Amino acid sequence: MSTFLLALLSLAILSTTILSADDNQYINITILNSAIAQGAVCLDGSPPAYHLDRGYGSGLRSWIIVMDGGAWCQSISDCLSRSTTELGSSKQMKNGSRFAGILYNNPQNNPDFYNWNRVRVKYCDGSSFTGDIEQVDPDNKLFFRGARIFKAIMKDLWSKGMQNAENAILSGVSAGGLATILNCDKFKSLMPNDAKVKCVADAGFFINGKTISGTSDIQEMYQRVVTLHGSAKNLPPSCTYAMEPSLCFFPQNVVPYVETPLFIMNSHYDTWQIENILVPKYLDPQHVWDNCKKQISNCTFSQRLIIQVFGGEFLKAFEGLNPSFTSGYFITSCHSHGAIMSTNFWLSPTSPRLLHKTIGEAVADWFFERAGFQYIDLFPCARDCEI
């Protein structure tokens, strides 16, 4: 065989290898058209969607459901704008979705869950899957049906094998992490009685904190979200019985009422909370916080002190929860937001470690009950971590 042909053959083999590796990480979308008949639709009325990579071997009867994040919409104009994006319409969603972290299909990068049925649920309702209003907004044709989306997708997955689940994890990132907490017991009720069911909330522990000017913007925003989407009836009733429904959007208030085992991953210097709860844009018209928000090493001494105080408020809210032997947590001091679907954060040499364990190791040990894990990194100030 000529040198030229050998080179072509080598190139073809290399290309095939690269494509195969890439294909293994990107999973095609499933548009759930049948959900329309149930009224389970995105903000614009389009059907909800998810990505499913089937399990095999020892993971054939085990399931991981991860809900995407993307904040919330709190007004008609806000939701209308959102409805023209993938956060409000399946018409705008890409066909393929990258699976990484806990969704990775490689045993080297995800040894405990790589061959489970792995699902990534798209987020297109703006209410952390809690909304349910029958009436359609007449002027803008907006639908507020997040709770119905959750139910419809779970029903569809049930028919695709989840009814035989032996193990099941509900998880999510950011607004999806909050959705995990709010829907955890509901998820448990949908599973077979003998299945091991637990929930893992990532970057979803949003605190009822104040801005640098002392206002309670996040509480007021949650109140608008709950009212607009009709979320109250889909929040844990034991919480809404005890307090005003919008307060049950805060994990510090609702976690005590969650009965299903729950693992919380978060940073007490969470970037989204610093950028949106502590220093929202309207309070920084001169953009003096812009560089600090991007990287802690860019912060001035006074900015670091303000962030440190916020981290203390986070820990005060978190540590106010009663510990339970069924609960686990991994609280870092990283200036970051989200870890469960991050290749660098999940189980890599760059993953933050607590008690010498990566996040992936801590979650797996907790789920399989090889060891409990409840640890907070008390590093005295925020630090930059490789994401």
Side-chain angles (χ1 to χ4, degrees):
M1 187 179 291
S2 70
T3 304
F4 177 71
L5 288 177
L6 281 172
L8 283 179
L9 180 60
S10 299
L11 181 60
I13 292 173
L14 177 61
S15 299
T16 301
T17 302
I18 292 173
L19 287 172
S20 297
D22 189 60
D23 287 344
N24 284 337
Q25 294 182 39
Y26 285 82
I27 308 303
N28 287 337
I29 200 167
T30 297
I31 303 294
L32 191 56
N33 290 300
S34 61
I36 294 178
Q38 305 167 52
V41 292
C42 301
L43 286 168
D44 71 334
S46 60
Y50 64 84
H51 305 264
L52 166 63
D53 196 16
R54 291 282 191 172
Y56 60 91
S58 61
L60 190 61
R61 298 179 66 181
S62 298
W63 290 75
I64 294 176
I65 318 293
V66 178
M67 295 179 285
D68 278 357
W72 311 269
C73 60
Q74 56 183 306
S75 66
I76 293 295
S77 60
D78 190 15
C79 291
L80 184 60
S81 176
R82 187 185 180 99
S83 71
T84 63
T85 73
E86 67 172 353
L87 289 173
S89 172
S90 59
K91 296 175 184 177
Q92 306 300 323
M93 295 175 186
K94 297 177 182 178
N95 180 57
S97 179
R98 185 170 183 265
F99 275 28
I102 198 171
L103 295 179
Y104 207 84
N105 65 353
N106 187 311
Q108 281 71 46
N109 295 324
N110 190 26
D112 291 286
F113 308 111
Y114 72 96
N115 64 347
W116 284 30
N117 295 281
R118 288 158 294 112
V119 183
R120 183 171 180 176
V121 178
K122 304 303 288 185
Y123 179 39
C124 65
D125 67 275
S127 72
S128 284
F129 298 94
T130 61
D132 189 0
I133 292 182
E134 181 65 33
Q135 183 181 2
V136 180
D137 177 66
D139 297 322
N140 300 289
K141 301 297 186 292
L142 290 173
F143 297 76
F144 303 103
R145 306 282 181 78
R148 296 192 195 186
I149 290 175
F150 181 84
K151 183 178 180 180
I153 289 178
M154 294 306 135
K155 181 180 178 181
D156 192 60
L157 295 174
W158 178 273
S159 70
K160 291 180 177 177
M162 205 162 68
Q163 77 270 26
N164 298 315
E166 294 177 345
N167 300 292
I169 295 175
L170 179 67
S171 186
V173 182
S174 191
L178 176 59
T180 298
I181 296 170
L182 299 178
N183 290 286
C184 184
D185 286 340
K186 187 180 297 184
F187 180 70
K188 166 69 174 173
S189 71
L190 298 172
M191 293 296 106
N193 291 333
D194 57 348
K196 177 183 287 188
V197 181
K198 298 185 180 184
C199 301
V200 180
D202 180 17
F205 199 95
F206 299 95
I207 67 168
N208 192 358
K210 296 187 183 299
T211 68
I212 52 175
S213 66
T215 56
S216 300
D217 288 16
I218 185 70
Q219 182 176 334
E220 294 172 6
M221 186 192 75
Y222 276 169
Q223 192 166 37
R224 290 191 291 269
V225 170
V226 169
T227 301
L228 179 65
H229 292 265
S231 299
K233 59 188 173 184
N234 291 305
L235 299 173
S238 51
C239 182
T240 56
Y241 178 80
M243 64 189 74
E244 199 274 320
S246 65
L247 293 176
C248 295
F249 240 59
F250 290 104
Q252 64 199 81
N253 295 329
V254 77
V255 164
Y257 299 101
V258 177
E259 297 179 358
T260 306
L262 173 66
F263 192 100
I264 294 174
M265 295 186 301
N266 230 99
S267 168
H268 48 107
Y269 299 111
D270 181 275
T271 53
W272 190 94
Q273 298 193 53
I274 290 170
E275 293 173 10
N276 295 276
I277 297 178
L278 179 63
V279 193
K281 289 182 179 179
Y282 81 93
L283 289 178
D284 185 27
Q286 302 302 317
H287 304 286
V288 297
W289 279 83
D290 284 3
N291 288 333
C292 176
K293 288 179 177 180
K294 291 176 183 177
Q295 195 167 321
I296 288 296
S297 58
N298 294 332
C299 298
T300 65
F301 179 73
S302 61
Q303 287 172 331
R304 284 174 178 264
L305 287 180
I306 292 171
I307 291 173
Q308 188 172 346
V309 171
F310 183 83
E313 288 299 309
F314 179 98
L315 292 180
K316 182 179 178 181
F318 186 81
E319 292 176 332
L321 302 175
N322 291 324
S324 167
F325 75 95
T326 60
S327 299
Y329 48 84
F330 191 109
I331 309 298
T332 76
S333 60
C334 290
H335 181 240
S336 62
H337 183 67
I340 201 168
M341 290 198 292
S342 165
T343 300
N344 289 341
F345 265 34
W346 179 244
L347 195 76
S348 78
T350 58
S351 171
R353 281 174 163 75
L354 297 181
L355 298 181
H356 307 292
K357 290 184 180 181
T358 63
I359 293 172
E361 290 167 333
V363 170
D365 284 351
W366 170 81
F367 180 83
F368 292 108
E369 296 166 10
R370 298 189 291 242
F373 198 92
Q374 297 180 335
Y375 197 78
I376 298 172
D377 181 4
L378 295 178
F379 191 74
C381 55
R383 53 182 171 179
D384 295 310
C385 298
E386 184 178 348
I387 300 176

